[in-house]
């Protein structure tokens, strides 16, 4: 939480956090609009590039190289994004990555 000088600023900060959380919940409840969004939702659900890779392979989806999807492809998608991914969903996936890196295997 950022520093504040009075109660009004603290309230504004909390209201901003509530809006952000509400937007994130709405994003996560929305149906994926593309296969890339479906992949990111699976990553957010599992916090595992390996499990996400297995999910993508079970759908028989190939990578851009024409080979089986790899964990690296999942990481690349999160890092680079894609035109058919909502910015908010991409931001959530990146947050999961940073939570995982910061806290280890557990969220």
């Amino acid at each position: 939480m950022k520093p504040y000088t009075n109660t009004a600023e603290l309230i504004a900060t909390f209201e901003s956090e509530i809006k952000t959380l509400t937007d994130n919940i709405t994003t996560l409840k929305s149906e994926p609009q593309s296969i890339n969004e479906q992949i990111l939702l699976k990553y957010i659900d599992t916090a595992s590039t390996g499990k996400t890779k297995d999910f993508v392979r079970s759908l028989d989806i190939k990578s851009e190289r024409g080979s089986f999807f790899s964990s690296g492809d999942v990481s690349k998608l999160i890092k680079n994004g894609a035109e058919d991914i909502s910015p908010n969903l991409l931001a959530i996936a990146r947050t999961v990555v940073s939570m995982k890196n910061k806290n280890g295997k557990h969220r």
Side-chain angles (χ1 to χ4, degrees):
M1 184 167 50
K2 69 180 189 176
Y4 61 92
T5 57
N6 59 44
T7 305
E9 284 184 16
L10 181 60
I11 290 169
T13 298
F14 287 153
E15 287 174 339
S16 174
E17 289 175 5
I18 289 169
K19 182 183 179 331
T20 300
L21 290 172
T22 301
D23 291 346
N24 287 347
I25 291 168
T26 300
T27 298
L28 292 172
K29 285 183 174 181
S30 299
E31 289 294 319
Q33 300 301 308
S34 66
I35 189 62
N36 285 330
E37 285 193 355
Q38 191 174 359
I39 292 167
L40 285 189
L41 283 169
K42 186 63 173 181
Y43 174 76
I44 291 167
D45 183 42
T46 63
S48 167
T49 56
K51 290 178 183 176
T52 304
K53 164 206 64 161
D54 293 341
F55 166 75
V56 176
R57 285 183 178 185
S58 74
L59 298 176
D60 204 30
I61 296 172
K62 303 284 183 180
S63 71
E64 292 176 352
R65 301 178 316 278
S67 61
F68 285 116
F69 220 80
S70 71
S71 295
D73 292 320
V74 175
S75 296
K76 183 178 173 184
L77 180 61
I78 295 167
K79 181 179 179 184
N80 298 336
E83 290 181 9
D84 60 349
I85 299 173
S86 82
N88 201 25
L89 185 62
L90 187 58
I92 294 168
R94 289 175 177 163
T95 299
V96 171
V97 169
S98 67
M99 288 169 41
K100 185 175 176 186
N101 290 341
K102 181 179 177 183
N103 299 323
K105 190 173 183 175
H106 303 286
R107 289 182 251 177

